[in-house]
Amino acid sequence: MRKLEEVIKNKVIEASRKLDENVLEKLRSAYESEDDKNAGIVLKAILDNISIASETGLPLCQDTGLFWTLISYAKSSPYSLSDLVSTTYEALEKAAVEGFFRKSIVADPVFERVNTKTNLPPVVNIELIDGDVSTVDVLLKGFGSENCSAVRMLNPTAGKDGVIDAILSMVREAGGKPCPPMFLGVGIGGSLDRAAFLSKKALIRKREHEDWRYTDLEDEILERVNTLHIGAGGLGGRATALEVNIEYDSTHIAGLPVALSVSCWADRKAHIEVREELWRED
Amino acid sequence: MERRLRLPYESIDELREVRAGDYVLLSGTLYVGRDQVHKRLGIMIEEGESLPFQFKGNGIYYMGPSPKMPGFVLGAAGPTTSQRMDPYSPMLMEKGLLLMVGKGPRKNNVVEAMKRYSGLYLQAFGGCGALYSQRIKSADVVAFEELGPEALLRLTVEDFPTICAIDSTGASPFFLS
């Protein structure tokens, strides 16, 4: 087995038990600044749950999610893309077993809905990047929040206000369903599917925008979403969303696609840089 | 206010006195069923079949656990989104299953049925699967084992924390869109 397989497997299992420091920090500060009684109780339970998961080794949430993966293949990699994809697949298969993940995937979406009993297949996205260090990103995508994700095809002249209104309307409709406080990934531009892909990519990490207007837009969306007072657990209060990230792309003269991917407070993800030493066989 | 509710409850008045926003700790027996269990219970009721557990006095928790790890009663065991059960809940309340535990808002048909039958909807804390796992002292499959994580279970819970999200008068602290 390659070292890489072991590393992906371990990081994915760890993601189901532990949150990134950035996510933890935002949850702690939401608890400290909350003045609504019910929302405070919910945020305290969330922080307790995080400690219990870490102490016992139980998953944070029973919905250990659908594996949403992004394989960013570096053009000068010393291995093939197909080897990288199959190594990732095998690592996920082992993570589901060794991590006691819930088997949440059904093969046929409409009729039999028979469980594959492996938590596979994952959703696999592939993109090409420059250089020789490929990356593998995995989101453990819970579906309480995914069911609140959506795309709107706006008028090309809708502008910034149109984008904000669309997102507010999608978040309002989500209400207390996606286990708020939420983390929001926003994808703008491209086509319907491209915008949706970008909204997931936005959940992976925060981008330093060269165009500061997009950074401002992230801040403004976060501020406006928090005026909805959906709050932790949907019971009111300040903390409806804790972070908004945008990814954007060029689009057609006739359109302005806007996609929203909603993550619950348990924003679980693994990021692996495929350095050469990880590619060696053990 | 903080309340304790022992399950099965003896009188419907124990549900009626709980108010929206109350912090409610559950102890005793709690049944578990989510999407497929609701669909099947709906069919059983329509076809007049006998039900797999006694509805009166009991509550149902919308949950599908992650697999049991060695040394634990079961895996993570937090609530799932209640709204997906909304098409079935009024029918179950009519048959006496008045206590529901899940997460997130309910549709109007459920709230109306709650007012009619004195139903009670408690919200468990979403995503807190490890915390709830620790409050569950036993878990047994009652029916539909073939559904795997969606099987109908009977739990014994102790100090299982919830907030009353909709009371039997229809009052609710929820954000409603």
Side-chain angles (χ1 to χ4, degrees), chain A residues 41-201:
Chain A
I41 290 172
V42 174
L43 288 163
K44 176 69 169 54
I46 288 171
L47 295 177
D48 288 348
N49 184 64
I50 290 167
S51 307
I52 293 168
S54 163
E55 286 156 18
T56 59
L58 283 162
L60 287 156
C61 176
Q62 69 289 341
D63 185 0
T64 44
L66 168 137
F67 293 130
W68 186 94
T69 60
L70 172 59
I71 296 175
S72 304
Y73 181 70
K75 290 173 197 160
S76 314
S77 298
Y79 42 81
S80 74
L81 171 60
S82 120
D83 282 349
L84 181 56
V85 172
S86 56
T87 302
T88 302
Y89 195 96
E90 280 154 26
L92 294 175
E93 190 169 24
K94 293 196 170 107
V97 175
E98 293 175 31
F100 293 88
F101 282 30
R102 193 176 72 186
K103 310 306 178 288
S104 305
I105 305 302
V106 295
D108 178 280
V110 179
F111 299 104
E112 294 84 7
R113 290 190 69 90
V114 173
N115 200 302
T116 63
K117 299 203 168 79
T118 53
N119 212 46
L120 297 174
V123 170
V124 179
N125 298 274
I126 293 165
E127 64 176 15
L128 290 176
I129 56 173
D130 290 329
D132 58 5
V133 182
S134 302
T135 59
V136 175
D137 283 282
V138 183
L139 292 174
L140 303 183
K141 196 65 195 69
F143 251 61
S145 58
E146 186 63 3
N147 281 336
C148 300
S149 298
V151 185
R152 297 275 162 86
M153 304 302 278
L154 304 185
N155 226 306
T157 54
K160 187 185 91 165
D161 290 341
V163 170
I164 294 172
D165 287 348
I167 290 164
L168 287 177
S169 129
M170 292 186 266
V171 172
R172 198 179 290 120
E173 192 169 326
K177 293 196 291 288
C179 290
M182 315 169 204
F183 287 76
L184 301 176
V186 176
I188 309 176
S191 49
L192 174 133
D193 55 309
R194 178 72 181 160
F197 166 74
L198 290 173
S199 73
K200 280 286 182 305
K201 203 173 164 185

Side-chain angles (χ1 to χ4, degrees), chain B residues 22-137:
Chain B
D22 284 354
Y23 183 75
V24 183
L25 288 166
L26 300 175
S27 293
T29 305
L30 184 60
Y31 287 87
V32 170
R34 48 178 289 162
D35 304 69
Q36 295 301 326
V37 165
H38 277 73
K39 191 174 173 183
R40 290 188 187 197
L41 290 175
I43 293 169
M44 290 168 111
I45 289 171
E46 272 174 6
E47 296 186 349
E49 290 176 35
S50 64
L51 298 166
F53 67 99
Q54 189 189 310
F55 280 11
K56 204 175 153 217
N58 280 305
I60 190 157
Y61 177 33
Y62 309 142
M63 189 274 284
S66 65
K68 177 172 141 60
M69 289 163 49
F72 291 87
V73 170
L74 78 180
T80 194
T81 308
S82 305
Q83 218 160 72
R84 296 195 311 273
M85 317 317 147
D86 286 0
Y88 303 100
S89 295
M91 195 192 294
L92 301 188
M93 274 186 261
E94 192 189 342
K95 294 286 171 193
L97 190 60
L98 299 178
L99 176 65
M100 301 163 283
V101 185
K103 72 171 171 83
R106 309 302 300 261
K107 289 259 163 63
N108 209 33
N109 65 321
V110 175
V111 181
E112 288 308 313
M114 289 176 64
K115 289 198 269 191
R116 191 173 325 129
Y117 303 114
S118 292
L120 182 64
Y121 173 51
L122 304 176
Q123 165 149 302
F125 307 122
C128 295
L131 184 153
Y132 283 106
S133 182
Q134 299 278 287
R135 307 294 174 100
I136 295 168
K137 303 304 163 187

Side-chain angles (χ1 to χ4, degrees), chain A residues 230-241:
Chain A
I230 294 169
L235 298 169
R238 291 167 184 268
T240 298

Side-chain angles (χ1 to χ4, degrees), chain A residues 242-277:
Chain A
L242 300 181
E243 188 170 285
V244 175
N245 296 342
I246 294 175
E247 290 275 341
Y248 62 96
D249 206 349
S250 50
T251 191
H252 190 277
I253 50 171
L256 172 49
V258 176
L260 176 70
S261 277
V262 181
S263 169
C264 58
W265 63 261
D267 183 22
R268 296 159 291 172
K269 52 204 171 187
H271 174 72
I272 297 102
E273 290 191 355
V274 188
R275 305 215 164 262
E276 209 185 324
E277 63 268 22

